[in-house]
Amino acid sequence: MAGMIQEGPSSVTSPPLPFLPWMSLSPGLGSPFPWLRELKSEERGLYLIHLLVQCANHVAAGSLENANIGLEQISHLASPDGDTMQRIAAYFTEALADRMLKAWPGLHKALNSTKISSVSEEILVQKLFFELFPFLKLAYVITNQAIVEAMEGEKMVHIIDLNSSEPAQWINLFQTFSARPEGPPHLRITGIHEQKEVLEQMALRLTEEAEKLDIPFQFNPIVCKLENLDLESLRVKTGEALAVSSVLQLHSLLAPDDEMLRRNINSPSVSKNLNSSRPHRVLQVNQRTLGEWLEKEPVHIYSPSSSDLASPSPSPSSPLSLAPAPKLGSFLTALRALSPKLIVVTEQESNHNGPTLMERVMEALNFYAALFDCLESTLSRAPLERQKVEKMLFGEEIKNIIACEGLERKERHEKLEKWILRLELAGFGRVPLSYHGMLQAGRLLQTNNYDGYKIKEENGCLVMCWQERPLYSMSAWGFRRYD
């Protein structure tokens, strides 16, 4: 296969790697054979990152001819069934190519006109993510323990599940509630999902389990996207203690008012800042895991063109760092009006919501490098399940982050510090996550031999890590009365 490279000693003299960052992509460079085919895995990974960064810079600058040459070169080395860096490169080049194609809307639409999105395949890939990684299991354990402690002594409990797709979370909660000395509460779960059949399966499975445990239970399904949710349909009743579980959902409400952003970017004061010189971030790489490659070997990032404008970067803790998010703001305000006792928020711990393409490329490379490393460390390269998760979940997220803009770009992941600020501005008060829940999460990692995964407590919140790299964050919030 063209993308597969034989590893081992090279029979061809390779150019010294320290010179790679300064190599240029130009129409005269031609095919990268033969010496590129002889690179060892670590050398190939370093060179692929260099090529990706240069190609992304060409895309950002609107230099499609040079970007096309870069994509052709990368195609000789990338492979969706190769090592970690080869796989990552395959999905990032696909995303960059998709962004380039959008310059010709007719061509882009024609090439995507027969694309079939299977609901059953989407459900399958979500279940594979649940099974292959511990992140959702950890989120469910910690969320459930927080709910149990917040609802101590409550006789009527209503839980709003903003992404109701995995029965395992609530079955675990049923079992804990059934063991309460005072008996289980009357429990109502409102499940929100855009696929009706997912909610039907949830209702069937949860009702069966509630009957086994003799728990009074109702399931209220709401078929819609979160952005279209009418909070009136939640039917919150007087006397109910309300909890909200949001697992990887709130970022979908962050699509900003692009016209407002464009006006801000085009203002004279911002334009002046954009044209001033400022240091550019560097991508780092190493040799053992891709995550470590991205920490130790410098690869230069070139200046974006004026077509890829960046606004000044205020401190993440400043309200100025928050992009306009009318949907999220109105949603949180309406949610606060319901006076929930507890909201538990789980989100990706990365900033994929930057205003420029290069910012998002660099952040996404770091984040998805770690996720691909997780799979590389636990699975062989052949399993279909691994390829499905990489292509249908991570690959689609990467494409959305890199190829899409405006309301079409849904994967607007942000870091914990920004979620803290957004929720505090909406009038919620932080609730420390349960110490007992964290102990349960630690036991889950240990008993299931999830080597390399860690959880860390940060100011009453929690981050889930691969090695030392934070990948997902959790925070808990309660209704705070204004003085």
Side-chain angles (χ1 to χ4, degrees):
M1 179 174 184
M4 296 300 291
I5 313 294
Q6 294 297 318
E7 298 185 13
S10 172
S11 59
V12 178
T13 303
S14 301
L17 283 174
F19 293 113
L20 288 179
W22 291 274
M23 292 180 66
S24 63
L25 299 177
S26 66
L29 191 57
S31 170
F33 292 103
W35 63 267
L36 281 182
R37 301 188 67 168
E38 304 298 330
L39 292 178
K40 295 179 182 179
S41 177
E42 294 86 356
E43 297 167 334
R44 183 179 60 228
L46 173 60
Y47 193 57
L48 270 171
I49 292 173
H50 166 71
L51 288 175
L52 275 174
V53 172
Q54 267 203 320
C55 184
N57 271 292
H58 286 311
V59 174
S63 179
L64 299 189
E65 184 180 352
N66 283 336
N68 180 60
I69 292 167
L71 292 177
E72 184 180 4
Q73 291 180 315
I74 295 168
S75 71
H76 292 297
L77 300 177
S79 171
D81 55 5
D83 63 25
T84 302
M85 192 59 232
Q86 287 178 300
R87 288 170 181 255
I88 274 264
Y91 293 111
F92 271 79
T93 52
E94 185 178 357
L96 289 168
D98 194 65
R99 185 180 178 96
M100 291 166 63
L101 271 177
K102 288 186 176 183
W104 295 275
L107 182 60
H108 185 267
K109 287 178 183 176
L111 288 174
N112 288 278
S113 62
T114 59
K115 186 177 179 181
I116 298 172
S117 180
S118 165
V119 173
S120 59
E121 285 284 300
E122 290 175 12
I123 296 170
L124 171 64
V125 79
Q126 291 293 338
K127 288 193 176 296
L128 286 173
F129 180 66
F130 174 74
E131 292 166 5
L132 295 176
F133 295 87
F135 302 117
L136 291 183
K137 298 183 184 78
L138 293 171
Y140 295 158
V141 164
I142 292 164
T143 297
N144 285 357
Q145 186 58 36
I147 291 173
V148 167
E149 292 179 14
M151 300 303 170
E152 187 175 349
E154 296 287 354
K155 292 182 171 58
M156 296 178 66
V157 174
H158 183 181
I159 297 170
I160 299 170
D161 183 356
L162 299 186
N163 183 34
S164 193
S165 60
E166 183 49 65
Q169 175 179 10
W170 305 124
I171 289 172
N172 172 269
L173 183 70
F174 287 179
Q175 293 164 349
T176 307
F177 270 148
S178 70
R180 285 203 320 186
E182 69 271 32
H186 184 286
L187 183 60
R188 192 153 66 97
I189 293 179
T190 294
I192 299 154
H193 199 278
E194 57 185 293
Q195 303 294 348
K196 183 180 179 182
E197 63 188 85
V198 172
L199 293 174
E200 287 173 346
Q201 292 170 13
M202 284 286 289
L204 181 64
R205 186 73 186 87
L206 294 181
T207 301
E208 286 176 353
E209 192 66 24
E211 287 174 356
K212 285 181 192 174
L213 296 170
D214 198 25
I215 294 176
F217 173 70
Q218 290 176 293
F219 187 78
N220 176 33
I222 299 178
V223 182
C224 76
K225 292 183 178 180
L226 187 59
E227 63 194 74
N228 299 325
L229 177 65
D230 176 7
L231 268 68
E232 294 280 331
S233 63
L234 299 175
R235 304 205 308 257
V236 178
K237 299 174 183 175
T238 304
E240 288 181 330
L242 183 64
V244 181
S245 170
S246 176
V247 179
L248 311 182
Q249 291 304 299
L250 288 186
H251 67 262
S252 67
L253 301 176
L254 277 172
D257 183 340
D258 285 343
E259 190 57 42
M260 185 187 299
L261 283 179
R262 279 195 293 271
R263 284 200 301 269
N264 288 343
I265 285 174
N266 291 329
S267 71
S269 61
V270 172
S271 297
K272 183 179 178 181
N273 283 324
L274 293 174
N275 294 325
S276 64
S277 61
R278 62 179 189 174
H280 296 289
R281 287 189 292 173
V282 296
L283 173 66
Q284 309 279 325
V285 270
N286 176 20
Q287 295 186 5
R288 190 176 71 81
T289 66
L290 180 55
E292 289 180 343
W293 279 344
L294 292 166
E295 284 178 357
K296 293 188 179 173
E297 192 73 38
V299 175
H300 291 198
I301 297 179
Y302 303 93
S303 304
S305 75
S306 58
S307 65
D308 192 39
L309 294 179
S311 58
S313 300
S315 163
S317 61
S318 162
L320 294 175
S321 73
L322 301 181
K327 282 189 181 296
L328 179 64
S330 60
F331 179 81
L332 292 176
T333 299
L335 207 56
R336 186 187 175 278
L338 300 176
S339 305
K341 281 193 89 169
L342 182 73
I343 298 177
V344 185
V345 175
T346 303
E347 282 291 334
Q348 290 88 343
E349 180 62 5
S350 191
N351 181 24
H352 297 144
N353 197 24
T356 72
L357 173 63
M358 288 311 298
E359 280 183 86
R360 301 202 302 270
V361 167
M362 305 315 297
E363 284 281 337
L365 262 175
N366 278 277
F367 181 78
Y368 289 97
L371 287 174
F372 276 66
D373 272 340
C374 294
L375 289 176
E376 180 77 2
S377 71
T378 55
L379 290 174
S380 66
R381 294 175 185 174
L384 186 60
E385 292 82 5
R386 175 177 175 179
Q387 292 181 4
K388 279 183 179 290
V389 168
E390 288 175 342
K391 179 173 177 59
M392 296 174 61
L393 184 61
F394 300 152
E396 289 302 308
E397 288 180 359
I398 290 167
K399 188 183 293 185
N400 189 265
I401 291 165
I402 291 173
C404 298
E405 296 294 349
L407 295 176
E408 190 184 3
R409 181 158 59 85
K410 302 295 185 185
E411 301 299 338
R412 295 173 175 269
H413 313 146
E414 293 194 338
K415 291 192 174 184
L416 178 60
E417 57 197 357
K418 285 195 176 181
W419 288 114
I420 288 173
L421 185 55
R422 289 185 188 279
L423 284 147
E424 285 179 345
L425 287 173
F428 291 101
R430 213 181 319 175
V431 175
L433 282 165
S434 163
Y435 176 72
H436 185 57
M438 293 187 192
L439 288 179
Q440 287 179 297
R443 283 197 297 271
L444 186 151
L445 291 178
Q446 191 172 13
T447 56
N448 290 279
N449 297 316
Y450 281 119
D451 297 330
Y453 294 93
K454 300 176 182 179
I455 52 173
K456 295 180 180 178
E457 189 270 336
E458 289 189 3
N459 300 319
C461 303
L462 178 143
V463 290
M464 298 176 257
C465 308
W466 167 248
Q467 306 298 354
E468 299 301 319
R469 171 69 163 90
L471 291 176
Y472 296 89
S473 68
M474 291 190 72
S475 57
W477 303 85
F479 173 76
R480 186 178 67 200
R481 296 186 184 280
Y482 293 124
D483 295 332

